[in-house]
Structures are given as C-alpha cells and as structure tokens.
Amino acid sequence: MSQGKTSKTLVWILMAMLILGLGGFGVTNLSGNVHTIGTVGEKDISINDYSRALQEELRALQAQTGQPISFAQAQTFGIDRVVLARLATTRSMDAENDRLGISIGDENLREELMAIPAFQGLDGSFDRDAYSFAIDQAGMNESEFEDSVREDTARSLLQGAIVSGLPMPSVYADTVIKYVAEERDFTWAQLTAANLTRPVDTPSEAEIAAYYDANQADFMVPATRQITYAWLSPEMIIDQVEVDETALRTLYDDRDSEFNRAERRLVERLAFADEAAAQTALDEIAAGTTTFEDVVAARGLSLADVDLGDMTKAELGAAGEAVFLTPAGGIAGPAQTTLGPALFRVNAVLPAQITTFEDARDILREELAADRARRLIDAQVGDIDDLLAGGATLEEVAEETDMQLGTLDWHPAAEHPLAGYEGFRAVAAVVNADDFPQVDVLDDGGIFALRLDDETEAHPAPLVDVTESVSEALIEERTAEALTALVQTLRPRLNDGTSFTSFGFTAIEETDMDRGAFVPGAPLDFMTTVFEMEPGELRTVDSTNGLIVVRMNAITEPATDDPEVAALKASITAQLSSGVSQDVFQAYAEALQATYPAEINQQALNAVHAQFQ
C-alpha cells in the first residue's frame, strides 16, 4: 500500500471519529483546565481523544449486540481498558516518530487536507469556511487538527515500515495444500483365517494359562463401586394408575389433527398472468412439445419455487376440486388462485389417515398413565427425603414406599438399567462412604437414592471367568502371525505387481482417496498408514479380523493449474502473511510501551467515566 493511500485512509478514519464525536464529547474539555488523562513519553493523551474513542467503542458494541449497553456493562467487558491501551500504543508510536524525526512536509499536509470531502464546497474545491467550522465543532483548533494529521500519517509510515517486507515463502502454502489435497490410489485386501491353507492350532489349557499370565492387562476387571440403591420409575407404578375414559376422550379430541388427517395432495403450482397463457402452456405440455419443468425454468423459477408440499382440498381453495380429481402425475387447471390463473401438477395422492378412538386408546392411556405416575412419584419425594433425613436406611425406605431396593457393582461401562441414566452415573461416580443417601430425580421423572458400600480396585479377572476370551485372543494372535508369514512368502511376487486375486485374495481398488477418506472395514488409522507409503510399496496392517495387505499404486499431486488450488494457495499465503505481520507489529508495540511507559491521571480518567454514567 502506498504512503499516500495509507495516509488518506487514516485521515478518513480520523474525520469519521471527529464527526461522530460532534453528538457529545469534544466540544469542551470535560474537566475544566485538565486537558489530558495521561502521558506517554512526552506525548499527551487528550481527554477529548479518549472520550471520543470510548464513545465509538460503545456505539460499535451496541451495534453488534443490537441493544443499549450501559457504561457499567462496558466496563465489565473491559472496553475502557482496551481503548486506553490502544491510545497508549498510538502515542508511544508518536513518541518514537519524534525520536526518529519522521514527519510529513507542509505540501503533503496540504494535499491531504484538500482531498477530504468534508472540507470541500459544492464545486468540489477546498472550502475554508467548511474546514474551520468542522474543526471548531470537533473541539479542536486548526493547529491541533493539522498536528494530528501529521502524526497520523507519520504513524502509518512507521507501521508500514514494520509490517512490510514480510512475504511468506510459497513453500508453506504448497505444504499445506499438498497435505490437504494430495490423493492416493491403492489396492488392499482383508486377509482372515479363511486365507490360510490350514487353521491354526487350538490352544491347550497350558498355552491359555501362559498367554493369560503374559497379557493380564488385557483381561482386567475395572475398578468398581459396590452400591446399594432404592429406585422408583414411572413404569414401576404405572399399573397402579387409574385413567378414566373421559380423560382419554378429551386427550383424543385435543390431538385430533394427529390421529385424523384429511386426504391430501403433493402439488406444485405455477401461476400465469392470464388464463390464455396458462391454457397455452397446458396445451403444449399435453401435446408433448414441452414439459412442466421446462415451463417453470422458462419463467426463471426452480421446482422448489413452485412446490406447495402436501395440501388438503380446503387449503387449495377454488382449485381444490380440480386438483383432487387429477391423478398422480397429471396437471390440473387452469384454476383461479390468489396469484391468478395457475396450473397444478399433482405429484402424489396421500389418502386420509383415520385412527379411531378405540385404536388410539392404548397409546393415550400409556401416555396419561405415565404422566400421572410421574406426578405420584413427585408427590412422594418430600416424604422419602424426610425418611432419609430422619435416619431411615435405604432398606427401610424400600419397605415403607414403592421404591425398589437393589445392588450394583458400578463402573463407567456397567450394564444395568439404572446405570443408563446420566443423573445416576454422575452421583455414583462421586459418592463417598460417609455421604448420607438423598433423593435425586432422573430424566424420565423417576427418583433414586444410593449408598456406597465398598470399592474394589482394578484387578485381573480370574482365568476361569475369561478362559474363552483368552483362547480367542490367542487364536487371533496366531492367525495374524500365520497371515504375516503368508504375506512374507508372497512378498517378492506381490512387490513385482502380481495381482492380489492371483493368490485368492479379494482385492479392493481405491482411487482418488484423500487423507480424510473413510475406508469401510479398515482400522480408523488406516489412511494414516496409506499416506506414509511410496508408490509400489507393500505393507501389512493389523485388523480385528486378521490382517490387511495394502499396495500403493500411485500418488496424485494437487493440480497447480487448477484455479481453485491457486485461489486456496493465495488465501493461505495472505492469511499467514497477515498473521505474521500482526505478530511482528504487536511485539514492536509492546517494546515501544516498555520504552515509553504510560502515566495515567486517574482523577481525569474518572471524570471522563463520570460523563458516561
């Protein structure tokens, strides 16, 4: 960006701040003879600059949220601190420019001022009166304003010098694009015990025991918590709930539209300016010289634009009779509508759906009974809480109420109806042996209370309980070893490109697969392995069913001449360059703030804030 263009942009921003400031701050200094809220180096932070910037942030926040924001709310968001930090950074750059001697001459300043539309008359030339009036209304004199323009421009020069000259090498974008867009062609086959010429030996008891001893970590019983619980769900007492016929009939009537739906049609409607045009279109469709789709497209519409969905006869109004006499696939009309004469295409006939009260009774009763059961349970919560608070045990509560007593060896993977509730799991995970049972509510309206009786650390499961699992694991291991040996025997021919099918393998060809592709039947990390391979390379991958053998056929690089790839590369480079530039400038700004620390007049700052209350 050129220096002139940058300067003009900054001046425009400054003028926008000045004009917006006319509505409130800036006409007079807010604190009498105090003109600043602090200094940075030898540069003042004026009260008017701070108040204008603060007001701008408030307006921006209100525009973003769409509602009024009080100053107290803005302070909780840290808006005042953000504004102050930004002004401190700006003034530290001005102080550094003074040290470096960076400024613009009078001729450049004159060009900047004359280019501002707010200072121009009706003929487009510089208007001295407009210039003086705008500056005066902004609470500044001409000297102060012109000094601010000089500082603004010099600041843009300094910032430009810091962030310019930081182009990112194309290798970064190329690497990212290659990672994302590179594709693989490969052949793979799932090998199982069926591919072996003879099955592996069945393990003996001694072999099973030895495998168990060597792999006990694979056959662990998780840490468990022995829990006693009392539980009451709506289903447990639903048979106790009486539902009268009147309530069922009332609920059925209330939900009549759900149980009884009138006959409907799936239709599309295309309106015309007059009946003659509609009739002409219908005749052409009937003659086969055009189609309904073509007529819709000729009007600049899509089928989605003319789709009405499912409609009843009453909803179609005057066109209902004609539409309901037309079979599926036919076209009705022209018929008068609120949009004028229209053609209707009938896509489907939806028959009426009638569910009698007798057919719906069981469904309605179940719903009403469940709802009343939940209310009955809710009414018992207070009494059960009182019992527990009075020292009653869970066993005693179960005897005196409808709650059911039970025990559970709980761990995160425990299979039990009560363990399926998130509320129960949350309590079971944290309850201590010293905690008193209390009633908690479940998502379905049920309630429970529990007690921790004991805890068991994780330990290997007894061999007698997992013998079958150990035997299966040993067979799987031996099968994988045998399949690996088979592949090693065939590897020379496989490496030469011999087809997998030549060895009786079921080969699957995959083409144009990117890194995020999913291959059904393969392990989740399968594509990671594939993208580590080179063309012609052969690898084996462990799988739950045996072994996978995969051969890389080709690697397809991203097409550099593809406009989409080129646009993506430019976008990645621009984003990275922008990020690096921002980081560099942020580091430089922090260094300047350390060199020129801000000294803030808290009383003046409070005076400005008081004006916003």
Side-chain angles (χ1 to χ4, degrees), residues 263-270 282 292-293 306-311 316 319-333 343-350:
E263 187 176 356
R264 291 156 294 140
R265 297 292 187 270
L266 286 177
V267 295
E268 294 163 331
R269 179 188 62 191
L270 181 60
L282 179 62
F292 185 81
E293 289 85 350
V306 299
D307 185 20
L308 294 183
D310 59 300
M311 304 287 288
L316 289 168
E321 187 69 29
V323 170
F324 268 63
L325 290 174
T326 303
I331 297 177
L343 297 181
F344 291 82
R345 181 165 69 171
V346 180
N347 294 315
V349 174
L350 304 178

Side-chain angles (χ1 to χ4, degrees), residues 38 61 160 201 205 252 284 332 434 452 568:
L61 184 59
D201 296 334
E205 291 185 1
Y252 176 80
E284 292 177 351
D434 297 332
L452 179 63
L568 178 60

Side-chain angles (χ1 to χ4, degrees), residues 586-602:
Q586 181 64 29
Y588 181 73
E590 291 174 358
L592 287 182
Q593 292 176 39
T595 304
Y596 305 102
E599 298 180 3
I600 304 302
N601 182 338
Q602 191 61 46

Side-chain angles (χ1 to χ4, degrees), residues 231-238 373-374 377 402-404 418 421 442 444-448:
W231 176 28
L232 180 60
S233 70
E235 289 76 13
M236 294 176 185
I237 61 172
I238 198 167
R374 285 189 288 269
I377 292 174
D402 291 321
M403 298 189 79
Q404 296 183 6
L418 190 53
Y421 292 93
L442 298 169
D444 64 351
I447 57 174
F448 74 95

Side-chain angles (χ1 to χ4, degrees), residues 301-499:
L301 302 172
S302 67
L303 291 179
D305 296 326
V306 299
D307 185 20
L308 294 183
D310 59 300
M311 304 287 288
T312 65
K313 188 175 183 179
E315 289 171 340
L316 289 168
E321 187 69 29
V323 170
F324 268 63
L325 290 174
T326 303
I331 297 177
Q336 287 297 325
T337 70
T338 55
L339 299 179
L343 297 181
F344 291 82
R345 181 165 69 171
V346 180
N347 294 315
V349 174
L350 304 178
Q353 297 178 358
I354 305 297
T355 303
T356 65
F357 172 72
E358 288 70 21
D359 291 336
R361 178 187 282 110
D362 291 342
I363 298 173
L364 296 173
R365 187 191 183 286
E366 184 177 346
E367 292 182 10
L368 274 181
D371 182 64
R372 294 186 179 183
R374 285 189 288 269
R375 294 181 186 180
L376 287 176
I377 292 174
D378 187 59
Q380 297 183 51
V381 170
D383 294 337
I384 296 172
D385 263 333
D386 291 341
L387 287 173
L388 292 172
T393 64
L394 294 178
E395 289 79 2
E396 292 169 339
V397 168
E399 289 180 1
E400 297 186 30
T401 69
D402 291 321
M403 298 189 79
Q404 296 183 6
L405 189 71
T407 59
L408 167 64
D409 288 340
W410 183 85
H411 54 83
E415 295 182 1
H416 186 279
L418 190 53
Y421 292 93
E422 178 60 34
F424 176 84
R425 293 197 300 271
V427 176
V430 299
V431 64
N432 294 317
D434 297 332
D435 293 340
F436 290 100
Q438 62 181 23
V439 176
D440 285 284
V441 180
L442 298 169
D443 292 339
D444 64 351
I447 57 174
F448 74 95
L450 58 80
R451 178 184 69 228
L452 179 63
D453 297 325
D454 199 1
E455 294 185 81
T456 304
E457 296 294 329
H459 60 280
L463 176 57
V464 66
D465 293 339
V466 293
T467 299
E468 185 176 348
S469 297
V470 176
S471 177
E472 291 175 354
L474 181 52
I475 291 174
E476 288 178 4
E477 182 179 281
R478 289 179 174 179
T479 299
E481 291 173 352
L483 290 172
T484 300
L486 173 63
V487 172
Q488 287 299 111
T489 301
L490 302 176
R491 183 175 288 274
R493 296 177 62 189
L494 290 170
N495 286 338
D496 289 341
T498 302
S499 171

Side-chain angles (χ1 to χ4, degrees), residues 225-242:
R225 318 192 89 197
Q226 285 73 52
I227 288 174
T228 297
Y229 64 83
W231 176 28
L232 180 60
S233 70
E235 289 76 13
M236 294 176 185
I237 61 172
I238 198 167
D239 292 336
Q240 305 174 23
V241 176
E242 294 294 335

Side-chain angles (χ1 to χ4, degrees), residues 499-583:
S499 171
F500 285 6
T501 57
S502 298
F503 308 104
F505 301 162
T506 302
I508 302 175
E509 298 284 342
E510 306 285 3
T511 59
D512 302 330
M513 302 290 281
D514 60 28
R515 196 177 296 270
F518 172 72
V519 180
L524 293 178
D525 60 349
F526 180 62
M527 291 304 297
T528 301
T529 300
V530 168
F531 270 76
E532 294 171 352
M533 298 171 62
E534 298 295 330
E537 184 179 354
L538 186 79
R539 287 196 187 185
T540 57
V541 179
D542 293 334
S543 74
T544 55
N545 296 324
L547 192 72
I548 289 177
V549 58
V550 56
R551 179 167 59 201
M552 179 61 59
N553 297 327
I555 296 176
T556 304
E557 301 283 346
T560 56
D561 56 346
D562 187 331
E564 292 186 5
V565 173
L568 178 60
K569 179 177 179 179
S571 175
I572 293 172
T573 302
Q575 290 180 16
L576 183 63
S577 297
S578 175
V580 171
S581 296
Q582 291 176 7
D583 292 342

